[in-house]
C-alpha cells in the first residue's frame, strides 16, 4: 500500500487503524497483493495516471469503483475510462475486471444502474450482477456489478 494515501503500519490518515489494519497489510504482502488508490476526474489523464506504462501493468487487475454512476453527465466518461483501463491490462496480456457498487437509482440527480449498463453495452463492455439488495430495509436498492471488456482498446474512445 502506498504512503501517498496514508495507509501504512503507523495508521497514517486512516482513523481507527490498529492491529487489524497491520494484520491486513501483512496478509496482503504475503499474498503479493498491491493496492493502488487513485483519485481524479474520469478521462484520459486519469487512465494514464492509473496505468502509466504498459510494462508496469500487473498480470491481474481488479478495479473497484463505488457511487460513480450517479450523474448522467459523467456516465460516458466513467464507462469509457473504465473500459480503457480494462483494455490496457488485457492488451498487456493480463486479466482484468472491475467491481462497480451503486444504488439502483439516484433520486434527484437522474443516474441509474440501467443507464450505466446501457452505456457499457453501447461501448462493447459486459456486466453481471454479483450482489443485490431490493432496498426494503432502507428504501434504496443497491447492487455490485462485475464489469469486463468486450472489445479491443483501439475501439474505445475516452471522452
Amino acid at each position: 500500500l502506498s504512503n501517498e494515501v496514508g495507509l501504512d503500519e503507523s495508521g497514517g490518515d486512516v482513523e481507527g487503524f490498529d492491529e487489524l489494519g497491520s494484520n491486513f497489510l501483512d496478509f496482503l504482502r504475503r499474498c503479493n497483493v498491491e493496492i493502488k488508490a487513485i483519485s481524479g476526474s474520469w478521462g484520459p489523464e486519469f487512465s494514464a495516471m492509473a496505468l502509466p506504462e504498459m510494462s508496469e501493468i500487473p498480470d491481474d487487475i481488479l478495479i473497484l469503483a463505488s457511487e460513480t454512476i450517479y450523474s448522467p453527465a459523467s456516465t460516458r466518461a466513467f464507462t469509457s475510462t473504465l473500459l480503457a483501463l480494462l483494455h490496457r491490462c488485457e492488451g498487456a496480456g493480463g486479466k482484468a475486471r472491475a467491481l462497480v457498487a451503486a444504488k439502483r437509482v439516484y433520486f434527484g440527480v437522474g443516474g441509474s444502474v440501467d443507464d450505466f449498463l446501457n452505456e457499457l453495452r453501447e461501448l462493447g463492455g459486459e456486466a453481471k450482477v454479483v450482489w443485490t439488495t431490493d432496498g426494503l430495509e432502507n428504501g434504496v436498492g443497491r447492487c455490485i456489478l462485475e464489469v469486463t471488456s468486450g472489445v479491443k482498446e483501439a475501439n474505445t474512445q475516452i471522452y
Side-chain angles (χ1 to χ4, degrees):
L1 289 174
S2 171
N3 287 335
E4 296 171 21
V5 293
L7 296 175
D8 60 12
E9 286 81 2
S10 66
D13 295 332
V14 179
E15 195 172 310
F17 194 86
D18 55 7
E19 186 179 342
L20 177 62
S22 293
N23 290 340
F24 178 66
L25 291 175
D26 290 340
F27 174 76
L28 291 176
R29 281 189 204 97
R30 286 193 309 273
C31 294
N32 293 319
V33 172
E34 179 183 338
I35 296 176
K36 185 174 186 180
I38 301 171
S39 176
S41 299
W42 299 111
E45 297 83 11
F46 183 87
S47 182
M49 181 175 53
L51 297 173
E53 299 294 330
M54 295 300 278
S55 62
E56 297 176 19
I57 296 175
D59 292 337
D60 297 310
I61 189 168
L62 173 64
I63 298 170
L64 302 175
S66 177
E67 305 300 335
T68 52
I69 61 171
Y70 60 88
S71 169
S74 64
T75 300
R76 179 169 279 271
F78 167 69
T79 307
S80 59
T81 301
L82 180 62
L83 287 173
L85 291 170
L86 295 173
H87 294 144
R88 284 187 70 189
C89 182
E90 291 168 347
K95 292 185 280 183
R97 67 185 176 126
L99 295 177
V100 178
K103 295 176 185 163
R104 289 278 184 187
V105 176
Y106 289 86
F107 296 103
V109 290
S112 71
V113 169
D114 288 340
D115 291 342
F116 169 69
L117 290 173
N118 288 335
E119 190 71 38
L120 183 68
R121 288 183 192 113
E122 184 178 311
L123 295 174
E126 300 174 355
K128 66 180 179 180
V129 176
V130 294
W131 179 85
T132 189
T133 180
D134 57 15
L136 293 177
E137 308 83 42
N138 61 11
V140 179
R142 299 175 186 273
C143 69
I144 297 176
L145 303 168
E146 180 179 358
V147 178
T148 56
S149 69
V151 295
K152 296 185 188 285
E153 183 175 22
N155 295 332
T156 302
Q157 290 182 314
I158 298 178
Y159 296 90

